Amino acid sequence: MNHHHHHLLSIFLATMIMIPLARAELPGTWELLVPDAGIASMHTAVTRFGTVVLLDRTNNGPTRKHLLPRQCNNKTGTLKDCYAHSVLFSPQTNELRPLKILTDTWCSSGQFLPDGTLLQTGGDRLGWRKIRKFVPCETTGFCDWKELEGVELARGRWYATNQILPDGSVIIVGGKAASSVEFYPPRGDKAVVFPFLSKAADRQGDNLYPYVHLLPDGNLFVFANNEAVLYDHGRNLVLREYPPLEGGPRNYPSAGSSVMLALEGDYSTAVIVVCGGAEYGAFIRMETDSPAHGSCGRIVATEANPVWEMEDMPMGRIMGDMVMLPSGDVLIINGAQSGTQGFEMASDPCLFPVLYRPDQPLGLRFMVLNPGTVPRMYHSTANLLPDGRVLLAGSNPHYMYNLKAEYPTELRIEAFSPEYLSADRENIRPTITDGPEKVHYGEEFEVEITVPLPVVGLIEVNLGNAPFATHSFSQGQRLVKLNVGTPMVTGDGSYRINCVAPPTGAVATPGYYMLFAVNIGVPSVARWIQIVQD
């Protein structure tokens, strides 16, 4: 063998050895749960029964899932439709049940109400002003979508954001040609003008699906394009304007993503992070190869004169989802490294998830994780499950269903398990054996757990809600770390932890939460707990 061939063989063998090793060394594991869900989920939400509502739009032709007999839809003013555009998925059994949605939910919004009902609003065409509800049930039940009669949105809402408020009502913010807010239950018959949204718009929009975060003082942090305000929703007042965030537009059609970090301590501090986005103009020029931005801005929204602290992700990313993990770390997953939002407008899928560790020093917060193999680009979702896994669904960069394209309509459902679920953490993983089903604000209560190895130090008890994920933002997403006492050993070797429920509805809105016990960053399987108003 001559030297040249020998050199090529060496490179080939080294590459063959390195690739599996490199992948194996990166944290996290992937599993395929369902090879064909029948629909591509544009909107996803986890119910208090642990089931998952997957919801597409209704006007994109036949899906791969049929409705049950006699369920065909004749009421939309269009052709008879016997295809499902929504399904209920059970991660415990990996079973699917078709759900019947009537009017179009394309680019709509949602939020869970205090009683666990999913409120779902807006969409396109006949769905523009619709209000829908999904009252979840046990996996053996037959709950389904209901469209409300006699009540509708004051304005058509397409690309709006919903956020539950401290009193359990929901504010619906913005949308295409809708620089206003309104509420459910309705407050009067008119929308409330919110000029900030039109001021934040540019020539290609970039103010749609605004990032809305409820701060622990009860006001809203509202971010659109590259601007943010503190908004008093009760008095319709902008209380302050934050400095603009550098790095280009951040909202639809140029969206990165955003989270509010875990609330803890005395709950007076709220930190907002915004990551990624598209180059301005990529949408107008339909540039699929324009590099995505990799910068993140982090701001203490509750400080008197806050400034954005800038940091860079390991790679640029558009349409990434930011998921609050039970530990307080943030998983950034899905999306593309080039292009913009819109049909067939992105390329170079970003297969590597990234872990953002907010407590680490600046420059050391990002960790690249084990890559997946399924591109999840436009119209994909990521949601935390009660067992600590993250459910990945959707990706449809096409106007209709296209299963043969380079980036096809994606019908597979996957789960990503962060490193805290790895086998070598089993001996420190807590199991919750007892705890209340309901608590009131400020109430002291106990949670009982078991752990294989002796516990050293505190065990966190953290409440994570179930947001409504769509278009790379999880509407209403919240993680609240409870104030806890030192774990007390009981007679049978388990531990009792004294906890204090959140003090107000501004810290933790009323409703259902996943309660996790977290030991040195490793979470238990969650138990659902309801925070109820007095």
Side-chain angles (χ1 to χ4, degrees):
M1 188 187 297
N2 66 32
H3 177 74
H4 176 68
H5 282 125
H6 187 269
H7 181 63
L8 283 178
L9 182 63
S10 301
I11 291 173
F12 174 73
L13 288 172
T15 308
M16 290 301 289
I17 292 164
M18 277 169 61
I19 289 173
L21 274 180
R23 290 206 163 199
E25 283 168 6
L26 291 174
T29 57
W30 292 82
E31 57 186 315
L32 177 65
L33 303 183
V34 176
D36 185 349
I39 73 161
S41 193
M42 186 184 291
H43 323 79
T44 307
V46 180
T47 79
R48 66 187 183 92
F49 294 101
T51 55
V52 185
V53 178
L54 308 178
L55 175 63
D56 197 5
R57 48 185 264 244
T58 61
N59 67 340
N60 51 357
T63 64
R64 291 276 295 271
K65 190 86 175 166
H66 284 86
L67 290 166
L68 299 173
R70 298 197 300 278
Q71 249 191 333
C72 294
N73 186 0
N74 300 310
K75 296 182 183 173
T76 59
T78 56
L79 296 172
K80 184 175 180 180
D81 187 0
C82 295
Y83 290 95
H85 303 282
S86 180
V87 297
L88 190 66
F89 172 60
S90 172
Q92 296 91 341
T93 61
N94 289 347
E95 289 174 344
L96 296 149
R97 178 167 64 82
L99 301 175
K100 181 177 179 177
I101 195 95
L102 292 177
T103 53
D104 193 24
T105 48
W106 187 8
C107 300
S108 51
S109 50
Q111 198 77 165
F112 282 103
L113 298 174
D115 68 354
T117 296
L118 179 58
L119 178 80
Q120 216 278 326
T121 51
D124 191 22
R125 303 186 312 162
L126 294 176
W128 202 42
R129 292 176 66 174
K130 286 291 181 188
I131 302 174
R132 310 168 192 87
K133 283 187 175 180
F134 181 83
V135 180
C137 55
E138 298 278 1
T139 50
T140 51
F142 290 96
C143 41
D144 211 334
W145 286 104
K146 292 200 169 44
E147 296 209 340
L148 303 195
E149 302 290 336
V151 59
E152 62 179 10
L153 297 172
R155 283 292 309 263
R157 302 278 171 189
W158 200 27
Y159 302 90
T161 299
N162 296 9
Q163 169 66 56
I164 188 170
L165 298 173
D167 65 357
S169 64
V170 172
I171 189 170
I172 303 152
V173 181
K176 205 151 198 165
S179 294
S180 61
V181 305
E182 59 182 285
F183 300 87
Y184 181 87
R187 301 181 190 174
D189 57 358
K190 288 199 170 75
V192 178
V193 176
F194 187 28
F196 164 72
L197 291 174
S198 48
K199 176 176 163 283
D202 57 34
R203 212 153 57 86
Q204 58 181 21
D206 289 329
N207 65 341
L208 302 178
Y209 278 129
Y211 302 144
V212 180
H213 299 288
L214 173 67
L215 302 185
D217 64 4
N219 295 308
L220 295 174
F221 179 96
V222 183
F223 186 101
N225 194 343
N226 63 347
E227 300 179 36
V229 293
L230 182 67
Y231 179 57
D232 180 336
H233 52 86
R235 296 184 296 162
N236 186 32
L237 281 179
V238 170
L239 303 177
R240 66 164 10 154
E241 295 182 0
Y242 292 93
L245 174 58
E246 296 168 11
R250 307 283 185 164
N251 294 80
Y252 189 92
S254 305
S257 190
S258 176
V259 288
M260 179 170 70
L261 298 179
L263 299 175
E264 57 187 316
D266 66 358
Y267 304 118
S268 63
T269 302
V271 180
I272 310 296
V273 181
V274 178
C275 284
E279 186 73 34
Y280 174 75
F283 181 79
I284 296 172
R285 296 188 294 271
M286 301 177 72
E287 292 175 347
T288 61
D289 56 354
S290 171
H293 289 145
S295 68
C296 294
R298 171 169 162 158
I299 195 165
V300 183
T302 44
E303 266 184 4
N305 296 294
V307 293
W308 290 98
E309 178 183 71
M310 301 303 293
E311 46 195 328
D312 285 311
M313 294 186 286
M315 66 276 290
R317 192 184 301 250
I318 167 107
M319 301 180 285
D321 283 275
M322 296 179 79
V323 179
M324 288 299 304
L325 299 177
S327 58
D329 290 344
V330 183
L331 181 71
I332 307 172
I333 198 164
N334 296 340
Q337 294 182 77
S338 302
T340 177
Q341 285 170 299
F343 290 118
E344 295 164 11
M345 297 266 273
S347 63
D348 194 11
C350 199
L351 298 173
F352 286 88
V354 170
L355 191 67
Y356 179 74
R357 300 167 295 175
D359 296 340
Q360 295 294 314
L362 183 68
L364 299 175
R365 291 176 183 151
F366 293 102
M367 179 195 287
V368 178
L369 306 179
N370 187 22
T373 57
V374 177
R376 298 215 184 252
M377 298 164 75
Y378 191 41
H379 293 149
S380 52
T381 59
N383 295 72
L384 178 68
L385 293 174
D387 62 14
R389 293 179 300 171
V390 174
L391 187 84
L392 291 319
S395 188
N396 189 7
H398 312 286
Y399 188 77
M400 308 294 269
Y401 275 39
N402 183 341
L403 304 172
K404 296 199 165 81
E406 182 183 7
Y407 306 119
T409 303
E410 187 50 66
L411 306 178
R412 286 172 284 187
I413 300 176
E414 294 177 290
F416 178 76
S417 293
E419 190 176 24
Y420 58 50
L421 291 176
S422 63
D424 61 0
R425 307 287 201 281
E426 277 296 328
N427 55 9
I428 55 171
R429 179 163 300 120
T431 301
I432 300 173
T433 53
D434 197 23
E437 292 184 2
K438 288 184 181 181
V439 292
H440 294 83
Y441 289 107
E443 181 184 338
E444 287 197 27
F445 65 97
E446 288 185 338
V447 171
E448 199 162 294
I449 63 157
T450 58
V451 188
L453 282 183
V455 169
V456 180
L458 288 181
I459 287 189
E460 293 184 349
V461 178
N462 300 341
L463 301 181
N465 73 345
F468 181 86
T470 188
H471 288 77
S472 73
F473 181 62
S474 286
Q475 301 182 9
Q477 182 169 222
R478 204 166 199 80
L479 184 72
V480 179
K481 296 190 172 189
L482 299 184
N483 287 305
V484 296
T486 306
M488 304 296 290
V489 183
T490 65
D492 61 1
S494 59
Y495 296 87
R496 245 199 317 271
I497 305 168
N498 194 55
C499 311
V500 184
T504 66
V507 172
T509 51
Y512 286 89
Y513 289 78
M514 293 175 269
L515 181 145
F516 293 94
V518 182
N519 182 25
I520 326 173
V522 177
S524 66
V525 173
R527 279 199 173 199
W528 290 94
I529 188 170
Q530 187 181 18
I531 302 182
V532 291
Q533 295 157 300
D534 292 322

